[in-house]
Amino acid sequence: TIDFPVESWNNEENHQKLTTIFQTVFNHPSLIVTRELSAADVLTWDSFNHVNLIIAVEMEFGIRIPSGEVGTMKNVGDLIDLIDKMKP
C-alpha cells in the first residue's frame, strides 16, 4: 500500500513512478514507499544513493530540486510535497 495524500497524489501513475524510482535506486524490489519512509528505514539509503534518488526524481518528473531544498527533506512526504510544489 502506498500512503500518499489523495489531494496531490491521486494519480496511480505518479505513485508507481515514485515507487519504481525508490525500488530501483535502493535495489529493493519489495520496498513499500510511504510518506513516513526515511533514510533510517532503508539500509542502502546512503549519501551516494540519496544523490541518485534526487537525480532520478528530477528526470522522471521534469523538475530541478535546489540543493538547499534537498537538505531539508526528512522523509518521503517532504519529497512528495516538494515535487508537488515544483511540478510544471
Side-chain angles (χ1 to χ4, degrees):
T1 301
I2 303 171
D3 178 27
F4 292 106
V6 174
E7 65 276 3
S8 61
W9 282 78
N10 58 5
N11 182 334
E12 184 61 33
E13 184 180 349
N14 286 339
H15 296 179
Q16 191 55 52
K17 283 180 183 179
L18 198 58
T19 297
T20 299
I21 290 168
F22 271 79
Q23 291 172 342
T24 302
V25 167
F26 299 120
N27 194 28
H28 191 320
S30 61
L31 183 64
I32 296 172
V33 178
T34 66
R35 286 187 62 85
E36 293 77 26
L37 186 72
S38 72
D41 302 318
V42 182
L43 183 61
T44 55
W45 194 336
D46 56 17
S47 58
F48 178 75
N49 278 333
H50 188 75
V51 171
N52 289 335
L53 172 68
I54 297 304
I55 291 168
V57 166
E58 288 177 334
M59 290 175 61
E60 182 64 44
F61 291 97
I63 60 173
R64 187 81 179 147
I65 301 173
S67 56
E69 295 278 356
V70 172
T72 66
M73 291 184 289
K74 295 183 179 29
N75 56 34
V76 173
D78 290 346
L79 176 59
I80 291 167
D81 294 343
L82 188 58
I83 293 169
D84 269 351
K85 184 171 82 171
M86 302 190 79
K87 266 178 51 174

